[in-house]
């Protein structure tokens, strides 16, 4: 093991560059998949005809496929039908598709967990369906959704490492590049990578706990 | 205080039927309720009394027949249901207060969002009705901090804050500890004395006898008796009603 060689300034910078890519891809995917997941989840909860069915088919299909398959599909299969994306956007698209299906289910079940009497109370006071959803159902559902949503975000951040298979220059990819140089780097580099993932994800879960307490 | 907006006949069921699949829940219901009347619906569980009540503000839809509230056909799909519901307050067995809102916010929501009242105005109304149900000091509490009886009184205040023509009560005391039933019934009694039109599904026979103008006895989806409470409790005409009362009073 060569800790000193492995942790040279160049290597650290190289790994952190990879980590920036991880954060960038994860950040954009979190934003997009949250938006898409919220729409899919709410549409399915409200049972809007046609849209609810489309949402259900999408969610059930995607949830039952491995993320790796979706990454391969976006990067290798889409160009066959004329959709060619960069490595970064391929990773973002694949993650967004996969995670939005997961988030849609979290959001739908969070809304479903609000007692149906709440909807009846709102509607019987003259509020419209949308008003009742907005003022009564959503605020109660969101409280219950926060912990599972944050753990899904943490999963997403970790799942960006799967994009190593399409050579996205994220942290795991860069770690592998370094490891290939010298077999004595493997253990030190993996330890460092593990520490970075842990710190960021653990911080996220602490933030989630704070949010929960404040609600 | 004067309730109602000039309709003499606030609720009218004409040959109303309701089916849940093969189950015939309401059978040929004919019932007219006048302004200011207090009508208590009693009957064994599963008889359809809650369903009957919930049809009035279309929480349940009817299968056929005519159902009018304030002379507007509630069964008609073209009817603006939100507009009609503004005039019908509803109190549920399990209160259904909004747990994420304070007592005051619970009462202010619909007046602001449905009637378009200003926050100031809505707050004034809310405080007025909280005073009326006897818990002005709980204005800033959350529902989970209140007893069941207090929660139900807030629910009544929430209904009243919309200045409805009609108040519907769906077993308002059935989920309460015995020592809290009285405080809720007292609020309802006071409301009845002020002339509010009320339809009450309850097992509180004392309330029915003392406050109701009419008692409706319903069994297996049919109205079997529609009587003056004094007569009904002294001498029910139907065998089924006699049996029901004897079971209740022999315990």
């Amino acid at each position: 093991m060569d800790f000193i060689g492995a942790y040279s300034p160049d290597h650290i910078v190289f790994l952190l560059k990879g980590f920036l890519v991880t954060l960038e891809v994860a950040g954009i995917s979190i934003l997009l998949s949250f938006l898409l997941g919220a729409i899919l989840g709410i549409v399915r909860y409200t049972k809007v005809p046609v849209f609810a069915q489309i949402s259900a088919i999408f969610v059930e299909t995607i949830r039952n496929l491995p993320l790796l398959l979706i990454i391969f599909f976006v990067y290798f299969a889409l160009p066959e039908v004329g959709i060619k994306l960069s490595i970064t956007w391929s990773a973002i698209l694949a993650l967004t598709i996969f995670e939005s299906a997961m988030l849609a289910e979290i959001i739908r079940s969070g809304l479903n967990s609000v007692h149906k009497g709440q909807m009846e109370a709102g509607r019987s006071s003259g509020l419209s369906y949308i008003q009742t959803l907005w003022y009564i159902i959503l605020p109660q559902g969101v409280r219950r959704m926060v912990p599972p949503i944050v753990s899904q975000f943490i999963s997403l951040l970790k799942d960006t490492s799967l994009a190593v298979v399409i050579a996205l220059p994220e942290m795991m990819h860069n770690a592998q590049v370094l490891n290939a140089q010298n077999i004595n780097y493997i253990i030190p580099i993996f330890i460092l990578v593990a520490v970075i993932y842990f710190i960021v994800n653990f911080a996220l879960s602490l933030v989630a706990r704070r949010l929960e307490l404040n609600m | 205080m004067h309730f109602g907006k000039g309709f003499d006949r606030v609720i009218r069921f004409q040959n109303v039927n309701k089916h849940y699949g093969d189950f015939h829940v309401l059978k040929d219901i004919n019932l007219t309720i006048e302004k200011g009347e207090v009508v208590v619906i009693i009957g064994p569980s599963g008889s359809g009394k809650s369903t009957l009540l919930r049809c009035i503000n279309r929480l349940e839809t009817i299968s056929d027949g005519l159902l009018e509230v304030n002379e507007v056909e509630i069964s008609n799909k073209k009817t603006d249901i939100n507009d009609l519901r503004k005039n019908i307050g509803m109190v549920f067995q399990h209160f259904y207060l909004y747990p994420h809102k304070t007592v005051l916010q619970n009462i202010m929501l619909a007046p602001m969002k449905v009637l378009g009242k200003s926050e100031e105005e809505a707050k004034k109304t809310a405080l007025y009705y909280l005073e009326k149900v006897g818990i002005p000091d709980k204005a800033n509490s959350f529902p989970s901090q209140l007893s069941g009886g207090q929660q139900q009184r807030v629910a009544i205040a929430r209904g009243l804050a919309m200045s409805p023509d009609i108040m519907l009560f769906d077993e308002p005391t059935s989920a309460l500890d015995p020592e809290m039933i009285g405080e809720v019934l007292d609020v309802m009694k006071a409301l009845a004395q002020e002339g509010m039109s009320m339809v009450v599904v309850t097992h509180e026979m004392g309330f029915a006898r003392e406050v109701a103008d009419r008692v409706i006895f319903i069994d297996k989806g049919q109205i079997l008796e529609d009587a003056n409470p004094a007569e009904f409790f002294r001498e029910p005409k139907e065998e089924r009603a006699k049996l029901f009362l004897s079971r209740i009073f022999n315990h």
Side-chain angles (χ1 to χ4, degrees), chain B:
Chain B
M1 174 159 294
H2 179 74
F3 294 108
K5 297 181 178 69
F7 299 99
D8 288 336
R9 200 172 55 199
V10 289
I11 300 168
R12 184 159 74 111
F13 286 78
Q14 202 173 45
N15 307 109
V16 168
N17 284 283
K18 177 169 177 65
H19 303 264
Y20 280 126
D22 289 339
F23 183 41
H24 201 166
V25 199
L26 295 178
K27 293 173 190 158
D28 200 32
I29 300 292
N30 285 288
L31 176 66
T32 301
I33 295 171
E34 313 272 327
K35 192 171 86 177
E37 263 193 314
V38 177
V39 175
V40 167
I41 303 174
I42 62 174
S45 68
S47 57
K49 52 195 193 307
S50 281
T51 307
L52 178 78
L53 187 80
R54 289 159 57 84
C55 285
I56 297 170
N57 63 353
R58 218 208 269 168
L59 286 182
E60 305 280 352
T61 52
I62 63 174
S63 306
D64 56 71
L66 178 76
L67 172 53
E68 285 181 346
V69 172
N70 283 346
E71 293 173 15
V72 177
E73 211 181 314
I74 203 152
S75 42
N76 190 329
K77 284 212 167 69
K78 285 183 203 133
T79 300
D80 180 350
I81 190 65
N82 296 331
D83 194 56
L84 210 55
R85 281 172 175 160
K86 290 196 294 205
N87 294 318
I88 311 173
M90 174 111 184
V91 175
F92 299 87
Q93 179 178 357
H94 297 285
F95 335 131
Y96 298 145
L97 295 181
Y98 313 133
H100 60 302
K101 292 181 178 293
T102 64
V103 163
L104 216 47
Q105 290 167 338
N106 262 275
I107 304 174
M108 289 162 64
L109 182 69
M112 286 170 69
K113 301 303 171 188
V114 178
L115 302 180
K117 284 193 181 186
S118 70
E119 191 174 343
E120 199 184 350
E121 211 180 339
K123 190 171 176 183
K124 218 175 104 185
T125 315
L127 288 171
Y128 172 79
Y129 285 108
L130 268 185
E131 185 86 46
K132 207 172 161 71
V133 299
I135 36 175
D137 52 318
K138 299 292 181 190
N140 295 311
S141 303
F142 280 91
S144 59
Q145 298 166 316
L146 306 185
S147 70
Q150 290 170 331
Q151 289 191 51
Q152 194 59 299
R153 286 187 280 159
V154 172
I156 294 172
R158 181 173 69 178
L160 291 175
M162 294 292 285
S163 314
D165 297 334
I166 307 157
M167 284 290 284
L168 308 179
F169 295 84
D170 190 2
E171 302 203 23
T173 56
S174 300
L176 297 176
D177 289 338
E179 76 264 32
M180 290 168 185
I181 292 175
E183 62 192 60
V184 171
L185 291 180
D186 285 344
V187 168
M188 291 168 62
K189 245 179 252 177
L191 201 56
Q193 278 154 9
E194 285 171 9
M196 174 62 86
S197 313
M198 293 163 65
V199 186
V200 186
V201 170
T202 187
H203 296 291
E204 293 299 325
M205 297 304 144
F207 178 83
R209 193 171 358 207
E210 195 183 334
V211 184
D213 296 308
R214 280 156 71 196
V215 171
I216 309 283
F217 179 75
I218 179 170
D219 186 37
K220 299 200 175 82
Q222 270 178 310
I223 293 181
L224 294 184
E225 298 223 19
D226 180 346
N228 168 293
E231 280 170 33
F232 177 80
F233 287 109
R234 191 172 351 104
E235 203 172 356
K237 293 185 200 75
E238 293 287 329
E239 220 29 65
R240 190 67 191 81
K242 279 180 198 160
L243 188 66
F244 177 75
L245 288 181
S246 73
R247 279 188 188 150
I248 286 183
F249 289 118
N250 290 340
H251 284 285

Side-chain angles (χ1 to χ4, degrees), chain A residues 141-210:
Chain A
V142 164
R143 276 155 221 244
R144 293 170 212 182
M145 289 173 213
V146 167
I149 284 179
V150 172
S151 67
Q152 197 59 43
F153 287 166
I154 290 172
S155 286
L156 190 156
L157 200 133
K158 293 184 293 185
D159 288 347
T160 53
S161 61
L162 285 173
V164 77
V165 297
I166 54 171
L168 178 75
E170 45 73 55
M171 185 161 61
M172 273 307 286
H173 173 270
N174 289 6
Q176 287 293 65
V177 170
L178 295 177
N179 291 341
Q181 292 173 11
N182 186 337
I183 197 166
N184 290 322
Y185 291 170
I186 293 182
I187 289 176
I189 292 289
F190 278 159
I191 289 174
L192 182 58
V193 167
V195 167
I196 296 174
Y197 273 124
F198 177 83
I199 290 172
V200 173
N201 287 326
F202 191 65
L204 262 178
S205 49
L206 287 183
V207 169
R209 215 164 296 166
R210 276 298 282 274

Side-chain angles (χ1 to χ4, degrees), chain A residues 30-48:
Chain A
I30 281 175
L31 208 70
L32 294 177
S33 62
F34 182 68
L35 286 176
L36 185 60
I39 293 169
L40 290 169
I42 291 172
V43 161
R44 210 172 160 196
Y45 169 81
T46 57
K47 303 194 173 75
V48 190

